[in-house]
Amino acid sequence: MKAVFITGPGGIDKLRYDDLPVPEPGPGQALVKLHFTGVNFIDVYFRTGLYKAPPPIVLGMEGAGVVEKVGAGVTELAAGDRVAYAMARGSYAEYAVVPAWQLVVIPPGIGFDVAAGSMLQGMTAHYLTHSTYPLNPGDTALVHAAAGGAGQWIVAAAKLRAARVIGTTSTAAKAETARTAGCDEVINYAEQDFEVEVKRLTDGKGVDVVYDSVGKSTWERSLNSLRQRGMMVSFGNASGPVDPFSPLVLNQKGSLYLTRPSLGNYVATREELLWRATDVFSWLRDGHIKLQIHATYPLSEAGRAHSDLESRKTTGKLLLAIP
Ligand code: NDP
């Protein structure tokens, strides 16, 4: 089968598009013939070596396709089922072996492209807004990179919970996209100091929660944008990982809360996974959220997708079409 993998960390020149053997599903696993896979920033972290795994690493953490066969002990799924998943590595490939408990059946009316493109970022938005900091009506959230893949989902999920959403983006065109996604206010953080703007928009009080996926470059001002006892949700490193810091800072800035969550810990059981995936599919089906697909690249051009994502050229979802 064709797959995109790396044998060592580095730039996009390290991505190999080559043949690998089709994997065999073991007990409790299923072999999925993939139709689409989603591109996520986590794929970049694995490629660059920020996140580690033993080589060779087939990249890709989400996909959608058809069950080809199941391993011993799998009773809930059968060959021919349309399924999608997130947080199992190896989806930049024609086939992937996935733990069966991580697979969800795609409801009728939802295509493989939308399913593949919604699992990881949709369930991330769900856990951030429903579990990490469960938003209440009237809460104010600051969402960085609000026109991005995860960003648009978080904005929309926060609006479903009747929160006020302030988004940040780096261009005027992205600001428009963020507004369409549901932002009440958008700050161009390439031109304006977002801390000053947030204070102005909240009458000096600060926001209840910051959902910060940008990391290094926004860290300090994100903390400064919080109200007393507000929550900093640092969930990504698009600009680089946050430098080490003293917990005393949280005291000095108003007894703040800090968490550094990961989707894997919020879909850790079958029950929790189904809760989030079912909600995500119903948001799509009921039209509460429309997936914005930025572009679909052939699997062989995964490097171009990485390059576009890393260079801040994209809004919404990037997909790879599997041959
Ligand atoms: P995005 O589509 O959001 O792309 C990244 C965006 O980050 C860019 O478009 C850009 O938006 C912004 N950005 C700011 N600074 C930089 C920089 N120096 N280099 C590149 N981009 C920058 O990507 P994803 O939706 O795939 O992921 C967004 C973030 O969410 C990532 O950090 C990812 O790790 C995190 N994430 C975390 C999860 C978790 O469970 N912890 C799960 C899913 C995603 P702009 O130009 O507007 O600034």
Side-chain angles (χ1 to χ4, degrees), residues 41 45 121 124 127 149-150 170 174 189 213 235 237-238 261 263 312:
F41 230 94
Y45 305 146
Q121 291 166 347
T124 296
Y127 88 74
S170 67
K174 284 185 175 185
Y189 58 2
S213 66
F235 73 102
N237 334 279
L263 173 60
R312 303 171 80 162

